[in-house]
Amino acid sequence: MANQYKKNNTTKAAAPGAKASVATAESTASVSVKKSAASSPSLAQSIEQKRAQHAMAKVLDVTSASASVQKKFKAYANSLPAMIQTTGLGQALAFAKVKANANAKTDEAAAWSAMYAALDQWLQGQEIWLKTADQNNTDSLAALVAGNQQQYQRAQAEAFAYLVWLKQFARALIAGEADHA
């Protein structure tokens, strides 16, 4: 009786006297390749790692500001996801931008500016919006208004995913209670 082995979902008969371990050798090679690839430092970061890295850098930037700006930023990082859930990404971004530009010399404006800049920079880097030659979307709010519903939903989902990290790093790296005033 001929030995059989499975390759590419087809069963083939092996020649009499041939080793029946061809499939085993292939799977062993596959496993060793996967192990060596996992330990390779040249693998690309996951999207979660990129979100975390960007959020951490933005929170660390805020830690060089005054204690008041830090506490306000921490409060806004906690409240922005709920605001997006309630009003939508467009309304929340517009609110943040208005607050950032309202009176640029206040701690509140500085904290909102840092919050808006962090989220805007992250969303702009995600290539959510397809830009044509006549579109020059300089910020996420302009791109959101010019985009379609699918892009809006993708941007909102990405904003939620990013803000999880921003909120956690704000809680971890900014000392004291959040200033909700």
Side-chain angles (χ1 to χ4, degrees):
M1 183 179 206
N3 292 331
Q4 293 185 353
Y5 64 94
K6 202 165 201 162
K7 183 176 180 182
N8 296 333
N9 295 329
T10 60
T11 304
K12 297 181 181 178
K19 293 185 180 178
S21 63
V22 173
T24 306
E26 288 176 353
S27 64
T28 304
S30 172
V31 170
S32 63
V33 169
K34 289 177 184 174
K35 285 181 183 175
S36 65
S39 62
S40 173
S42 66
L43 289 178
Q45 287 183 312
S46 73
I47 188 68
E48 284 296 316
Q49 289 173 307
K50 290 176 183 177
R51 285 181 190 124
Q53 183 179 32
H54 187 271
M56 185 177 184
K58 294 303 172 186
V59 172
L60 287 172
D61 288 347
V62 172
T63 61
S64 64
S66 71
S68 175
V69 170
Q70 290 180 47
K71 288 179 180 181
K72 288 181 184 306
F73 181 88
K74 187 176 187 177
Y76 304 154
N78 284 324
S79 65
L80 192 57
M83 186 184 300
I84 293 170
Q85 183 69 39
T86 304
T87 64
L89 181 60
Q91 290 284 340
L93 282 174
F95 177 83
K97 193 168 186 174
V98 165
K99 289 292 193 176
N101 294 332
N103 188 350
K105 295 182 181 182
T106 66
D107 289 345
E108 179 182 15
W112 275 115
S113 180
M115 179 64 59
Y116 182 84
L119 185 55
D120 176 56
Q121 185 181 36
W122 177 256
L123 290 174
Q124 286 293 323
Q126 298 313 299
E127 298 178 8
I128 295 169
W129 300 282
L130 300 174
K131 295 181 183 176
T132 61
D134 61 331
Q135 284 180 313
N136 187 14
N137 299 329
T138 56
D139 72 358
S140 295
L141 190 56
L144 206 59
V145 171
N148 61 36
Q149 183 178 2
Q150 184 181 11
Q151 292 166 333
Y152 185 98
Q153 290 171 336
R154 183 169 173 228
Q156 185 162 306
E158 187 57 42
F160 279 128
Y162 176 74
L163 288 171
V164 167
W165 286 106
L166 195 72
K167 182 173 161 178
Q168 291 296 5
F169 282 121
R171 288 178 177 174
L173 300 173
I174 297 174
E177 292 297 316
D179 184 0
H180 297 283

